[in-house]
Amino acid sequence: MLDRHDHHLPDPGGGHRPGPGQAVYGISVAAELAGMGAHSLRLYEQHGLLTPARSAGGTRRYSDDDLARLARIAALAGEGINLTAIARILDLEDANSALRDSNAALTLERDRLRGRRDSS
């Protein structure tokens, strides 16, 4: 699943906006922002399509990353894809993203090592 980050990005108003992974929205706000009902968010969680963070009291908290994932779920569902297939698609997309990140890190490390070797 997506990582949760507790960093803040400054906004033009001089205050702070939550980072994309920081879970700040309750279920009703997240549902409104996603343009769907709260029951849909619960259903998607039940099917393992997303895993919102939980407050100390157990309340679901959604992040901007979660809202982006909800938009992806809605797009796939809009194409007539069932929830089981959506779960598999999201798993494959997540794995692909993790592999790309790993590949990028390995490429950087390789280039760093080559630079060290070339300067010796």
Side-chain angles (χ1 to χ4, degrees):
M1 299 301 307
L2 298 171
D3 291 330
R4 310 261 183 241
H5 301 286
D6 276 344
H7 62 279
H8 292 277
L9 300 174
D11 74 325
H16 290 288
R17 290 182 47 101
Q22 187 176 9
V24 295
Y25 307 112
I27 192 167
S28 60
V29 173
E32 184 176 336
L33 291 171
M36 55 186 67
H39 62 281
S40 294
L41 276 65
R42 289 186 200 95
L43 178 68
Y44 297 154
E45 182 181 0
Q46 181 182 4
H47 281 270
L49 302 179
L50 81 155
T51 306
R54 297 280 182 157
S55 70
T59 303
R60 291 173 179 89
R61 292 288 176 207
Y62 295 86
S63 67
D64 286 336
D65 287 341
D66 292 326
L67 295 177
R69 191 168 183 92
L70 286 167
R72 180 69 177 133
I73 293 166
L76 292 168
E79 293 178 21
I81 301 171
N82 68 44
L83 294 182
T84 301
I86 290 173
R88 184 67 179 135
I89 290 167
L90 294 176
D91 285 346
L92 290 169
E93 288 176 349
D94 290 345
N96 189 25
S97 180
L99 287 170
R100 285 177 193 254
D101 291 347
S102 178
N103 190 43
L106 289 169
T107 299
L108 286 173
E109 179 66 7
R110 181 204 62 207
D111 292 347
R112 184 186 68 78
L113 292 170
R114 281 183 178 167
R116 182 184 297 168
R117 185 185 70 207
D118 292 342
S119 65
S120 301

